Amino acid sequence: DSGETWSSWKSRSTISGLTQDTVYLVKTKASDLAGNTTESQSAMIKTKLANNSTFTLEPNGMTKENVTVTITWNNPQATPQYYKVDDGEWTLTTDETNTVIATENGTTVYTKLMYDGIEDSEVKFVVVDNIDRLIPTGTISINEDEPDYDGNVTLTITTHDDASTVGDGNGAVAYMYLTEENLSEAPAEDAEGWIRYEGDYDAYPYTIDEAGTTVIFAWFMDKAKNISER
């Protein structure tokens, strides 16, 4: 019917392996089952500018401190380079490196290159997720009914840290400190006596130092060095 009732036909193909910031000439070729072929006209395309920027975080493990994000541009062509934090404005910079101080989890730093205010590169980004300032909590109890003698007992110890879901569990409780001394304040994070915490205990062995009524005090510390209250 001379094509009067033909429907349109579309197909999308992805070309991979192209070099960034490079001009290519592209054309298509179509053929039918009868062997008829036709070629399109050439179309010029240019791939996006190369964004070779990298990010480093310091510290890069779980921490209760602010995190410094360092952008290294790797941009020898000196193409105009921009960065922004979260939903802020893009900032033009000519430095080889830039730093951003992240004070809370979820802070996102973005980078891109732009030529003539029109042509954008790929946008790269990093999300800070290793800040943990939540204090862990825990409970401890002596399993024996009357722990009033000098000898060995077992303890039930359980902990909780709301940051345990952040950074693939790295905010979880990592150490415990057990003592019969009634300390006026929590032990320092680098004090001797911290014991690696391997998970909740149903029967943790503990030796009582002296006969009589015993009170055991416990503190818990997570990997970011947050220490629980007694």
Side-chain angles (χ1 to χ4, degrees):
D1 60 2
S2 301
E4 294 179 2
T5 60
W6 289 12
S7 61
S8 60
W9 179 82
K10 295 181 180 179
S11 178
R12 175 177 293 181
S13 298
T14 300
I15 304 174
S16 59
L18 302 181
T19 302
Q20 292 179 310
D21 196 19
T22 304
V23 175
Y24 292 89
L25 292 177
V26 179
K27 65 179 180 180
T28 60
K29 181 179 180 179
S31 61
D32 60 20
L33 294 177
N36 301 302
T37 62
T38 183
E39 292 186 357
S40 69
Q41 293 182 343
S42 297
M44 185 176 69
I45 64 171
K46 184 177 181 180
T47 54
K48 283 183 174 291
L49 293 168
N51 182 355
N52 297 316
S53 62
T54 60
F55 305 96
T56 55
L57 276 61
E58 180 58 37
N60 60 3
M62 293 303 295
T63 180
K64 59 183 177 182
E65 309 299 334
N66 295 336
V67 172
T68 300
V69 180
T70 300
I71 305 167
T72 302
W73 288 100
N74 302 310
N75 180 23
Q77 293 80 17
T79 305
Q81 52 200 26
Y82 295 79
Y83 71 94
K84 73 172 184 175
V85 180
D86 294 331
D87 295 326
E89 298 293 330
W90 287 102
T91 299
L92 172 65
T93 176
T94 58
D95 298 329
E96 294 183 0
T97 62
N98 293 98
T99 58
V100 172
I101 305 300
T103 60
E104 59 183 15
N105 270 340
T107 299
T108 306
V109 181
Y110 301 87
T111 64
K112 71 174 181 178
L113 276 63
M114 180 179 291
Y115 186 73
D116 286 344
I118 300 175
E119 185 179 346
D120 283 4
S121 71
E122 169 195 6
V123 175
K124 289 187 174 181
F125 68 93
V126 65
V127 179
V128 176
D129 66 354
N130 61 324
I131 298 175
D132 172 13
R133 297 193 178 101
L134 297 176
I135 296 175
T137 59
T139 60
I140 180 173
S141 61
I142 301 176
N143 292 335
E144 278 66 19
D145 293 334
E146 297 180 358
D148 58 353
Y149 57 88
D150 183 10
N152 297 322
V153 296
T154 59
L155 307 176
T156 298
I157 307 173
T158 59
T159 64
H160 177 74
D161 189 347
D162 287 335
S164 62
T165 59
V166 177
D168 195 26
N170 288 329
V173 174
Y175 301 94
M176 62 181 178
Y177 190 101
L178 304 176
T179 181
E180 296 166 38
E181 182 180 356
N182 187 7
L183 302 177
S184 59
E185 58 184 18
E189 63 184 49
D190 58 351
E192 295 184 5
W194 285 104
I195 305 167
R196 183 171 296 278
Y197 192 80
E198 304 292 349
D200 292 347
Y201 298 94
D202 291 328
Y204 182 84
Y206 183 84
T207 299
I208 295 176
D209 294 333
E210 298 180 0
T213 301
T214 300
V215 179
I216 302 173
F217 302 94
W219 285 267
F220 303 99
M221 180 168 62
D222 62 20
K223 290 187 178 182
K225 308 302 184 182
N226 298 299
I227 299 175
S228 66
E229 299 177 351
R230 192 176 67 184

